[in-house]
Amino acid sequence: MENPGLFTAIHRPGDKSPSQVDFVVRTPADLVRIQRQEAAEICNVFGMSMAHATMMLRTMRWNREKLIERYIDDAERVLRDAGIADIETDAARPTVLPLRHQLCEICFSNEPNVPMYALACDHAFCVECYNEYLSHKIQDEGLSARIQCPGTRCPNVVDEPSVEMLAHPVDYVKFQRLLLRSFVDENQVMKWCPAPGCEYAVECHTPQSALDSTVPTVKCRCGHEFCFGCGYANHQPCICNLTQLWLRKCMDDSETSTWISVNTKECSRCRSIIEKNGGCNHMTCRKCSYEFCWVCMGPWAEHGRTWYHCNRYGEQSSQAARDSQEKSRSSLKRYLHYYNRYANHEQSARLDHQLYLKTEKRMESMQQKSDLSWIEVQFLRDAVDTLVECRMTLKWTYALAFYLEPGNLTTLFEDNQCDLEMATEQLSGLLERPLERKSIPALRQQILDKTAYVASRRQILLDDTAEGLADGRWRFNMSLIN
């Protein structure tokens, strides 16, 4: 595959930071050109048609080196896996012939001069039946690269030239679109941009094996940033595995169960769920009126004046129960600490997106109240872009921090996190300030300086985390992960 180079709107080869990866954005025209180049090279090596070379490349997920190696070792198997019956017969196959002594195997037509078509397997069908068959496979089943011959259990695949000749134009257009889709889906170094309506694909050569030590964030030409590894929106600096664990944890009902186990108990008599809403340990079930002790769950009448010791149940068992509950409380409290901050930045980012609407009006107002041109007031939009980026980064720092083991490195990470958080709040405050004619020059300079500072602090945090992942410096709390 051709050298991917770099998407110059992001960075140049010599300017790449530790938290950045090389990638290139591909247009549909680029994808068609790449397919043709790949097939042409196989044609030159083995002297076969473009259609056959393309079919074999699809079977090998567009891995040219793997195809060459396999074809040299066992050409018959490669052809069979690609659905090619006979490479020489297929290449010299006639187009459409009138029916002479054969019947269509679908409609059994025997009318004279009915146009027929057959692959090298010689399963002959009239063009009209072939047309309907292809339309069903393309439009209803969404197939393209693996449309097999209509013959019963025939493994041969209908190649692209045959589809172009036999299918309706509207079916062939969708067929080509599906082929383009499958080219990216089957390609290990390409992925479609997940933004709604986007037609671009991104090529990135970061292997799956590197996802434990890097977050391959790419940016499409449509402006959408996403992780090439898992397809989620940009979640730097949290690696894919921890991101998925965190999202699953946030959605899992286990946290609700933890809260219930910490804050509620079952009535010993009727098994109703009871929540303690006061300080007194003397509990009365509203359903069955049973009176019991919240600490040991024993009958309240047996406690007398020394109820707070719970002597009848033994100090050891009572202490174990309290220790278990305290452990659950501590675990829940720790989770809520990180989750609340994660959710807060997520909500703030959504609210900051609303700033774009306000910013447009503020830019117009600033232009009217000062001598600044429309280009010169664009710093407000840049500031909002930076603010939203920082909110999303901070959001994921709390997901990562939840899994980090305590230590000096974690302390340094939290210091960088704190610096970025403080600077982000300061920038947010500056963007909310009212516009007064006299203060506009000073406010503009403050916002410019703070935007640059916030962006630099974000990059420092991302680069430091990326370097730590690459060097294996970070240690994760495996008890939380497992």
Side-chain angles (χ1 to χ4, degrees), residues 270-290:
C270 69
R271 301 300 179 188
S272 297
I273 300 297
I274 298 174
E275 179 184 356
K276 188 172 186 287
N277 59 4
C280 181
N281 289 318
H282 179 189
M283 308 299 295
T284 302
C285 176
R286 291 188 177 181
K287 185 174 182 180
C288 67
S289 301
Y290 175 64

Side-chain angles (χ1 to χ4, degrees), residues 2-218:
E2 67 178 71
N3 186 357
L6 296 173
F7 183 28
T8 54
I10 303 299
H11 51 80
R12 299 187 182 91
D15 299 333
K16 188 175 66 173
S17 72
S19 61
Q20 293 175 315
V21 294
D22 298 345
F23 65 93
V24 62
V25 179
R26 299 293 191 186
T27 65
D30 292 335
L31 298 176
V32 172
R33 176 174 50 82
I34 292 172
Q35 289 182 78
R36 289 174 179 169
Q37 290 176 347
E38 294 286 307
E41 291 191 26
I42 297 299
C43 290
N44 293 333
V45 173
F46 297 117
M48 60 179 63
S49 68
M50 288 284 288
H52 291 148
T54 303
M55 291 167 71
M56 290 190 295
L57 279 168
R58 291 193 184 106
T59 305
M60 296 295 170
R61 296 176 63 88
W62 294 90
N63 188 322
R64 185 177 65 246
E65 290 75 19
K66 182 179 178 181
L67 171 58
I68 293 174
E69 180 182 344
R70 293 281 181 87
Y71 192 83
I72 293 174
D73 291 342
D74 192 347
E76 290 185 5
R77 181 176 179 180
V78 172
L79 291 171
R80 185 170 60 253
D81 291 344
I84 302 172
D86 187 327
I87 194 167
E88 295 182 0
T89 303
D90 275 358
R93 188 175 65 251
T95 55
V96 176
L97 294 178
L99 174 65
R100 297 190 184 278
H101 302 293
Q102 286 182 304
L103 296 178
C104 172
E105 295 185 21
I106 294 178
C107 68
F108 300 104
S109 172
N110 59 0
E111 295 181 11
N113 299 322
V114 173
M116 299 287 290
Y117 190 79
L119 299 174
C121 56
D122 289 332
H123 292 134
F125 305 91
C126 68
V127 170
E128 184 177 353
C129 287
Y130 232 124
N131 184 291
E132 293 300 321
Y133 172 77
L134 292 175
S135 180
H136 171 70
K137 290 294 181 180
I138 296 169
Q139 297 292 350
D140 299 335
E141 297 185 18
L143 295 180
S144 57
R146 300 298 300 179
I147 299 178
Q148 293 180 321
C149 167
T152 304
R153 288 189 289 275
C154 181
N156 291 345
V157 173
V158 184
D159 57 23
E160 185 174 354
S162 298
V163 176
E164 183 179 10
M165 179 175 58
L166 298 169
H168 283 300
V170 65
D171 294 333
Y172 183 65
V173 169
K174 183 174 181 178
F175 173 80
Q176 289 182 309
R177 189 164 64 249
L178 290 171
L179 282 180
L180 200 63
R181 172 67 57 178
S182 66
F183 170 65
V184 175
D185 292 341
E186 295 172 357
N187 202 310
Q188 295 179 339
V189 298
M190 286 190 185
K191 285 188 178 177
W192 291 105
C193 172
C198 183
E199 62 178 5
Y200 298 118
V202 178
E203 181 179 343
C204 179
H205 290 258
T206 300
Q208 288 288 318
S209 58
L211 296 183
D212 288 338
S213 58
T214 186
V215 184
T217 303
V218 298

